[in-house]
């Protein structure tokens, strides 16, 4: 039975053009027969330059390089590179695609939704959480390079009075929503497992950060840290680049790599074992994200869709954001650069004060587990996109490391939303949420003034102040900027603050418990 399961698993990996990724003992130098077979494979794909320094390598270096090259299918790399660099000629339909907003039947908006609808979604979502049917996937492969840090971005302290990192804020929201579900439904044990997708450079630092912080109050077995895949870096001439004489230059395969990574890691299998039916996926850089949001889960599950996505209202016609639309009759994302001025400025026929195309993508998605189970059937169909980069490499003629001053190659990546057009419209839904409540991304260096640590900090503190005022409390401060932080441990989304009614809160303050 075990052998059959392993064979099935490996057949899935073959379909995805991946190795099993199993961690083994330090690799041994291959036999002459093994080496020749692999060299022939690369020679046939005209990528045998990767063996340029083989004879000068030590036995251990040969073992490492052989294992890395064995895990790569060079012909597949040639194929996806060719498709990415020279995509099929666009049809007339694609040159001038039909763009429409998603139909009302597929959408809901928390900006103007009926309170009873929101409460019904919340109640049904919280019930699914109480039944241990909800999981969360976090895309956390990025480093804080733009922020002046080499640590994983989730470790970043955005400057809150509590000095909490993004990881801690999100972990505490998971803890709180578990407590809310326990209390409402009288359950002893409610678990929302957290699957944290890292990249090669961030995996170990992420694991250590979670260990050093005792998983922020969550159970260790309920936090699954896994790693997204990588793809070789390619020269402008289409050749696989070497980072060193014994190592291929690789780069993470983009946030669209989440699908293959769920299959090749233990994540999807762990979800299956737990009986998960609903999955919330999001990016680490959004400090306001409602992790395992009961409203979103309830809305999506109620519609019985395979994919749903959250959006915020586009600020104005020129805001450079991707939009969720119906493109040639299919759900899709169009980038700002793909839309002409007339389309961008078009007004909604029913609401002349808002844009017709306003559903800004915030990479915040719902998936049915049944859909994720089908990943092996379609993941290989997802397109790859080209990112032209300056990639350090070893010159295979001179043996010297070159640090280029201008882009000399490409990195191939996939986008998480490329799967949207594969889903029938009836299996897709979209929920508009309030930007000030749910979206404040951390993208730029401190002091930029937009999507930077300062704006993240500002938006969390402003949210806390709104919650206190809505609960009937008053914030006072001797300073111009009144700063009050409401911990996720005391309130997930503004609830549970009745104890503040009629009270005066002196800023700065951190509200961690009812007192």
């Amino acid at each position: 039975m075990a052998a059959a399961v392993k064979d099935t698993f490996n057949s899935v990996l073959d379909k995805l053009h991946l190795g099993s990724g199993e961690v083994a003992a330090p690799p041994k130098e291959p036999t002459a027969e093994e080496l020749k077979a692999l060299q022939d494979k690369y020679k046939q794909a005209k990528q045998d330059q990767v063996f340029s320094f083989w004879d000068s390598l030590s036995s251990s270096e040969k073992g490492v390089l052989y294992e890395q090259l064995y895990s790569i299918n060079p012909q597949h790399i040639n194929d996806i590179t060719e498709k990415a660099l020279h995509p099929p000629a666009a049809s007339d339909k694609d040159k001038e695609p039909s763009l429409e907003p998603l139909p009302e039947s597929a959408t809901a908006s928390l900006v103007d939704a009926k309170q009873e609808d929101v409460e019904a979604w919340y109640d049904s979502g919280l019930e699914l959480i109480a039944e241990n049917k909800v999981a969360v996937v976090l895309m956390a492969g990025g480093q804080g390079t733009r922020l002046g840090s080499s640590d994983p971005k989730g470790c970043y302290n955005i400057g809150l009075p509590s000095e909490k990192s993004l990881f801690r804020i999100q972990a505490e929201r998971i803890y709180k929503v578990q407590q809310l579900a326990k209390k409402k439904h009288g359950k002893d044990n409610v678990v929302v497992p957290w699957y944290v997708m890292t990249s090669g450079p961030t995996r170990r630092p992420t694991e250590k950060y979670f260990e050093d912080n005792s998983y922020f109050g969550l159970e260790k077995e309920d936090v699954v840290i896994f790693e997204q895949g990588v793809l070789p870096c390619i020269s402008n001439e289409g050749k696989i680049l070497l980072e060193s004489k014994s190592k291929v230059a690789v780069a993470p395969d983009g946030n669209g790599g989440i699908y293959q990574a769920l299959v090749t890691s233990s994540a999807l299998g762990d979800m299956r074992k737990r009986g998960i039916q609903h999955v919330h996926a999001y990016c680490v850089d959004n400090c306001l994200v409602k992790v395992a949001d009961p409203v979103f889960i309830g809305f999506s599950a109620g519609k019985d869709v395979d994919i749903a996505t959250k959006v915020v209202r586009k600020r104005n016609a020129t805001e450079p954001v991707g939009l969720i639309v119906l493109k040639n009759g299919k759900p899709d994302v169009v980038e700002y650069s793909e839309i002409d001025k007339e389309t961008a400025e078009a007004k909604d026929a029913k609401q002349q004060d808002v844009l017709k195309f306003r559903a800004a993508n915030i990479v915040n998605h719902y998936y049915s587990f049944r859909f994720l189970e089908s990943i092996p059937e379609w993941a290989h169909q997802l397109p790859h996109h080209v990112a032209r980069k300056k990639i350090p490499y070893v010159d295979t003629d001179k043996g010297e490391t070159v640090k280029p001053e201008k882009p000399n190659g490409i990195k191939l990546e996939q986008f998480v939303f490329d799967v949207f057009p594969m889903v029938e419209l009836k299996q897709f839904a979209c929920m508009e949420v309030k930007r000030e409540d749910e979206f404040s991304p951390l993208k730029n260096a401190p002091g930029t003034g937009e999507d930077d640590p300062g704006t993240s900090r500002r938006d969390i503190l402003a949210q806390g102040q709104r919650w206190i005022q809505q609960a009937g409390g008053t914030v006072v401060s001797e300073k111009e900027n009144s700063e009050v932080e409401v911990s996720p441990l005391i309130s997930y989304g503004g609830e549970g603050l009745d104890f503040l009614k009629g009270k005066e809160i002196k800023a700065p303050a951190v509200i961690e418990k009812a007192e």
Side-chain angles (χ1 to χ4, degrees):
M1 177 67 180
V5 170
K6 185 169 184 179
D7 287 345
T8 301
F9 181 70
N10 286 336
S11 72
V12 167
L13 302 181
D14 289 342
K15 196 167 186 179
L16 296 176
H17 302 283
L18 298 167
S20 68
E22 293 178 358
V23 178
K28 296 180 180 178
E29 181 178 347
T31 65
E33 292 78 11
E34 290 171 334
L35 175 61
K36 185 178 186 309
L38 191 64
Q39 286 178 325
D40 287 347
K41 189 175 182 180
Y42 276 79
K43 187 172 184 179
Q44 189 174 358
K46 298 182 179 179
Q47 293 286 6
D48 50 322
Q49 76 286 345
V50 294
F51 291 98
S52 294
F53 308 105
W54 183 266
D55 292 338
S56 67
L57 302 180
S58 66
S59 179
S60 61
E61 287 174 329
K62 287 178 179 178
V64 170
L65 179 59
Y66 177 85
E67 183 178 68
Q68 188 184 26
L69 292 174
Y70 187 82
S71 71
I72 297 168
N73 180 337
Q75 189 54 53
H76 175 63
I77 298 303
N78 286 350
D79 293 343
I80 63 175
T81 302
E82 176 64 22
K83 285 181 183 177
L85 289 172
H86 306 103
S91 64
D92 292 340
K93 190 176 181 181
D94 290 327
K95 286 178 182 176
E96 294 185 21
S98 163
L99 297 182
E100 290 294 335
L102 291 174
E104 290 184 7
S105 60
T107 64
S109 174
L110 297 189
V111 176
D112 51 20
K114 295 177 182 177
Q115 187 59 30
E116 56 262 37
D117 288 341
V118 178
E119 290 175 359
W121 294 327
Y122 177 87
D123 289 343
S124 63
L126 202 63
E127 184 174 4
L128 290 169
I129 289 170
E131 293 172 351
N132 294 331
K133 293 180 178 178
V134 176
V136 172
V137 177
L138 166 60
M139 291 173 270
Q143 294 171 285
T145 310
R146 292 185 188 176
L147 307 170
S149 170
S150 61
D151 292 332
K153 191 181 278 188
C155 300
Y156 195 81
N157 172 2
I158 59 175
L160 292 172
S162 67
E163 298 191 350
K164 291 178 181 177
S165 66
L166 292 169
F167 278 143
R168 178 171 287 280
I169 292 167
Q170 292 161 24
E172 290 183 354
R173 287 187 185 134
I174 292 175
Y175 183 89
K176 182 61 177 178
V177 82
Q178 290 176 163
Q179 298 303 310
L180 291 170
K182 274 185 187 180
K183 184 177 180 180
K184 184 174 179 66
H185 293 278
K187 296 293 183 75
D188 293 329
N189 187 41
V190 172
V191 174
V192 176
W194 197 15
Y195 301 88
V196 182
M197 185 178 80
T198 63
S199 61
T202 64
R203 179 167 187 166
R204 183 56 197 141
T206 299
E207 290 173 335
K208 186 175 187 306
Y209 188 73
F210 274 71
E211 290 163 3
D212 291 348
N213 288 277
S214 302
Y215 296 84
F216 313 105
L218 301 174
E219 296 297 326
K220 179 179 179 180
E221 61 265 27
D222 297 328
V223 179
V224 178
I225 297 174
F226 65 107
E227 192 174 322
Q228 72 183 102
V230 295
L231 288 168
C233 298
I234 310 297
S235 74
N236 288 336
E237 294 71 41
K239 298 295 185 181
I240 294 173
L241 292 170
L242 290 175
E243 177 185 308
S244 69
K245 294 180 179 181
S246 61
K247 186 178 181 182
V248 173
V250 297
D253 53 6
N255 60 18
I258 184 175
Y259 302 117
Q260 292 185 352
L262 285 171
V263 174
T264 58
S265 71
S266 62
L268 206 63
D270 188 74
M271 289 182 195
R272 187 182 304 111
K273 183 175 65 179
R274 292 174 184 264
I276 297 299
Q277 294 182 9
H278 311 279
V279 179
H280 177 213
Y282 68 98
C283 286
V284 72
D285 62 5
N286 180 11
C287 67
L288 292 180
V289 63
K290 286 188 170 182
V291 189
D293 178 16
V295 173
F296 189 41
I297 299 294
F299 164 76
S300 306
K303 281 188 165 293
D304 194 27
V305 294
D306 283 333
I307 298 179
T309 185
K310 282 190 180 185
V311 297
V312 296
R313 191 165 291 186
K314 191 177 177 183
R315 286 194 179 108
N316 52 57
T318 59
E319 184 181 11
V321 291
L323 296 172
I324 306 290
V325 300
L326 204 60
K327 181 179 178 181
N328 295 332
K330 297 179 180 180
D332 210 338
V333 173
V334 294
E335 298 297 344
Y336 171 71
S337 58
E338 298 177 62
I339 299 177
D340 60 35
K341 186 172 183 288
E342 182 181 355
T343 303
E345 294 178 349
K347 298 293 184 179
D348 189 297
K350 294 183 179 179
Q351 305 177 69
Q352 282 298 308
D353 59 332
V354 298
L355 295 170
K356 178 180 180 180
F357 295 98
R358 58 183 180 274
N361 177 34
I362 60 173
V363 196
N364 192 319
H365 309 311
Y366 162 92
Y367 300 94
S368 69
F369 182 73
R370 67 177 178 236
F371 180 73
L372 295 181
E373 286 266 62
S374 72
I375 288 172
E377 298 172 18
W378 49 259
H380 59 285
Q381 299 174 32
L382 292 178
H384 289 80
H385 304 270
V386 170
R388 297 193 179 276
K389 301 285 185 178
K390 292 184 286 187
I391 306 169
Y393 69 101
V394 172
D395 186 317
T396 53
D397 292 326
K398 301 178 181 178
E400 299 172 353
T401 298
V402 180
K403 293 187 176 180
E405 296 181 356
K406 59 182 181 179
N408 63 307
I410 64 172
K411 295 181 179 181
L412 296 169
E413 56 187 5
Q414 294 178 311
F415 298 154
V416 68
F417 56 74
D418 280 332
V419 72
F420 291 1
M422 297 183 184
V423 177
E424 292 183 51
L425 178 57
K426 66 181 181 181
Q427 292 302 125
F428 188 89
C430 178
M431 172 176 276
E432 181 185 60
V433 299
K434 296 178 181 178
R435 189 186 291 247
E436 65 270 23
D437 287 337
E438 299 203 35
F439 186 56
S440 180
L442 179 58
K443 303 286 188 187
N444 301 318
T448 306
E450 183 176 352
D451 297 343
D452 68 0
T455 58
S456 293
R457 178 180 187 277
R458 175 201 70 197
D459 291 343
I460 281 192
L461 295 175
Q463 183 183 66
Q465 186 161 343
R466 286 196 306 274
W467 287 352
I468 292 168
Q469 291 169 343
Q470 288 164 8
T474 305
V475 178
V476 295
S477 175
E478 296 176 1
K479 299 179 181 179
E480 185 176 335
N481 295 323
S482 53
E483 296 180 347
V484 179
E485 179 184 351
V486 177
S487 168
L489 295 174
I490 195 70
S491 184
Y492 177 87
E495 82 297 326
L497 299 176
D498 296 344
F499 67 94
L500 295 175
K501 187 174 183 179
K503 289 189 177 180
E504 199 173 77
I505 312 298
K506 188 174 182 180
V510 180
I511 300 176
E512 288 273 15
K513 55 186 177 180
E515 58 180 17

